[in-house]
Amino acid sequence: MAIPKEPRQLMITIMYLVLTALLALNVSAEIFNAFKLVNKGLEKSNEVLDRQNKRVPDQVKTLAQKDPERYGEYAERVDDIVKTGDEFVSYVETIWDSLLYKSGGTIEKNGKQVMKNKKNKDATTRYLVDQGKGEELKKKIIAAREEFLNYIEPEERDAFESKIALEVDDKSWKEAKKKASWADFNFRQMPVGAVQPILTKFINDAKATESAVLNHYLEKVGGTDVVFDKFEVVSA
C-alpha cells in the first residue's frame, strides 16, 4: 500500500490499518463500535469533499472565460471528471446495498435502522469472494484510477500519481499465506460491519482523487488550490 502524503488521507489510512489489525485479533463489540466511528468520520469527510467538488467546476469554468483559447479545454473536461467520480461512487454504493440485503438487511433499534447481522461473515465471503464481486471491484478501482490520471497532462502524470488516493494494494495479498486473490485477502470471512468502512474508504479515496484533479485544473486556469486545514471529531 502506498503511503499518502496528504495529511487527511494519511490519517484515514492509519485508522483503517489499525482497526483492521485489531479486527484480526478479536471481533468484539468494541471493535465494531470503532469501525462504526471510522465509518462516520469517513462519511463526514465525504460530505466535505462533496461540497468542495461541487464548487470547483464552476470556478474553473468562470476563470477559463478570461482566455478560452488557452483554458477552454479545462472548462470542457471538469464535468467529465465529476462524472467519473459519481459513477464509481454509485457502483460501490450498489455493492454495499447488495451486501447489506444479502446479510439480512436492517432492523430498528432505539429509533434507528441498524445492521441486523453485522457479524455475518458468510454473506461477505459468498458475494465478494466466491461470486467474484470483489475482483470486479478491484478492476473498477484500477479503471477509475486510470481514468482520473488520464485527465492530467501526459508530461505531468508521473508527478501527479502520488496525489491519487484511489488505488489497489496488489502487494500485500501476494505476500500473505494462502490468499488466492486481492478479494480473498480483503473480504474472506470479513464481518459485514467491518466491510462497510472499507467500502466507504474507497468512496472517500475516489472523492479525494476527484478533488485533486479538479484542484489541478483550478490551478491551471489561475485559481487557488482548496486545501483542508481542519479535522472534525465525530462521536458515536
Side-chain angles (χ1 to χ4, degrees), residues 38-196:
V38 169
N39 194 69
K40 280 188 175 182
L42 288 168
E43 289 177 342
K44 188 69 175 179
S45 176
N46 288 345
E47 291 174 4
V48 175
L49 286 166
D50 280 339
R51 290 195 294 270
Q52 175 186 320
N53 292 347
K54 286 179 180 178
R55 292 196 305 266
V56 176
D58 287 339
Q59 293 175 329
V60 172
K61 292 175 184 178
T62 298
L63 289 169
Q65 292 176 6
K66 64 186 179 183
D67 192 344
E69 185 175 345
R70 182 179 180 184
Y71 300 129
E73 62 177 309
Y74 298 111
E76 292 172 359
R77 300 178 76 183
V78 286
D79 288 338
D80 291 332
I81 296 169
V82 173
K83 182 180 178 182
T84 296
D86 287 347
E87 288 180 347
F88 178 81
V89 169
S90 178
Y91 169 79
V92 178
E93 288 176 341
T94 299
I95 289 181
W96 169 245
D97 289 342
S98 297
L99 178 60
L100 184 61
Y101 172 78
K102 292 174 184 294
S103 66
T106 62
I107 57 174
E108 186 175 336
K109 185 177 181 180
N110 297 325
K112 297 180 180 180
Q113 290 295 316
V114 298
M115 280 179 270
K116 183 178 181 180
N117 298 307
K118 63 184 178 183
K119 294 185 179 182
N120 187 318
K121 300 177 181 179
D122 293 336
T124 300
T125 301
R126 282 196 305 270
Y127 183 51
L128 292 172
V129 182
D130 298 339
Q131 295 176 12
K133 203 65 178 182
E135 286 301 298
E136 181 182 285
L137 170 61
K138 175 185 174 180
K139 292 178 182 177
K140 290 284 187 180
I141 293 171
I142 293 172
R145 177 184 172 87
E146 288 302 311
E147 193 168 347
F148 277 123
L149 195 57
N150 283 336
Y151 291 119
I152 306 302
E153 299 83 346
E155 65 275 13
E156 296 187 59
R157 287 175 189 167
D158 288 344
F160 194 85
E161 276 197 275
S162 63
K163 297 182 180 181
I164 296 185
L166 186 64
E167 66 174 356
V168 166
D169 175 10
D170 222 8
K171 182 180 179 181
S172 295
W173 74 266
K174 293 178 180 179
E175 295 176 345
K177 296 179 179 179
K178 299 180 180 180
K179 293 298 179 180
S181 66
W182 177 85
D184 187 52
F185 177 77
N186 284 283
F187 300 117
R188 181 175 294 279
Q189 293 300 297
M190 182 69 73
V192 173
V195 171
Q196 185 180 23

Side-chain angles (χ1 to χ4, degrees), residues 20-37:
T20 301
L22 289 172
L23 181 66
L25 295 174
N26 182 24
V27 185
S28 65
E30 289 75 17
I31 297 302
F32 279 110
N33 286 337
F35 270 107
K36 182 179 178 181
L37 182 63

